[in-house]
Amino acid sequence: MKLDRIRPAAGHSDAAPRYLGYIFASSDLVFEIAHTGRVHNVMGAASLLTGRDPGALEGQPWRPLFPPQDRDLVQHLLDAMRPGERKGPI
C-alpha cells in the first residue's frame, strides 16, 4: 500500500498516513526509522521487547535493536524501500 497517496481530510493532521500504517501493522513493536537512521515514533511493546521505555528509544540508532546477525538483512530491506512503502511482516 502506498500511504503517501492518502491525503488527510480537512482538519486532520498530515500524520494521518503514518497512523494508518500503524493500524495495518501486525507487530508487537512498530517504529519508524527516520532518514537519519534514528528511531522515531515508537509504539507497542517496547519495554517488554527491548527492556527500555519507548521514549528512551526515540532518537537512538536502529541497529542496536537487532541482533548483529540480522542487521545486514534489515539494512538491505531498508535500502530497498521507497517513501510511503511498508515491508513485512519480517
Side-chain angles (χ1 to χ4, degrees), residues 60-90:
Q60 299 299 311
W62 67 264
R63 293 181 70 84
L65 292 176
F66 294 88
Q69 65 270 22
D70 293 339
R71 292 175 186 163
D72 287 342
L73 170 64
V74 175
Q75 184 66 60
H76 174 76
L77 293 168
L78 290 173
D79 291 342
M81 290 180 73
R82 300 296 166 245
E85 279 187 333
R86 175 180 166 236
K87 298 285 185 188
I90 300 168

Side-chain angles (χ1 to χ4, degrees), residues 5-85:
R5 293 184 182 170
I6 299 172
R7 300 289 177 238
H12 292 264
S13 100
D14 61 353
R18 174 182 302 132
Y19 296 115
L20 283 172
Y22 291 151
I23 291 168
F24 293 113
S26 59
S27 303
D28 293 322
L29 176 60
V30 176
F31 57 88
E32 288 181 277
I33 299 174
H35 69 281
T36 61
R38 305 246 174 216
V39 174
H40 185 64
N41 290 326
V42 180
M43 298 179 77
S47 297
L48 179 65
L49 295 173
T50 69
R52 297 168 65 189
D53 182 71
L57 296 175
E58 293 270 343
Q60 299 299 311
W62 67 264
R63 293 181 70 84
L65 292 176
F66 294 88
Q69 65 270 22
D70 293 339
R71 292 175 186 163
D72 287 342
L73 170 64
V74 175
Q75 184 66 60
H76 174 76
L77 293 168
L78 290 173
D79 291 342
M81 290 180 73
R82 300 296 166 245
E85 279 187 333

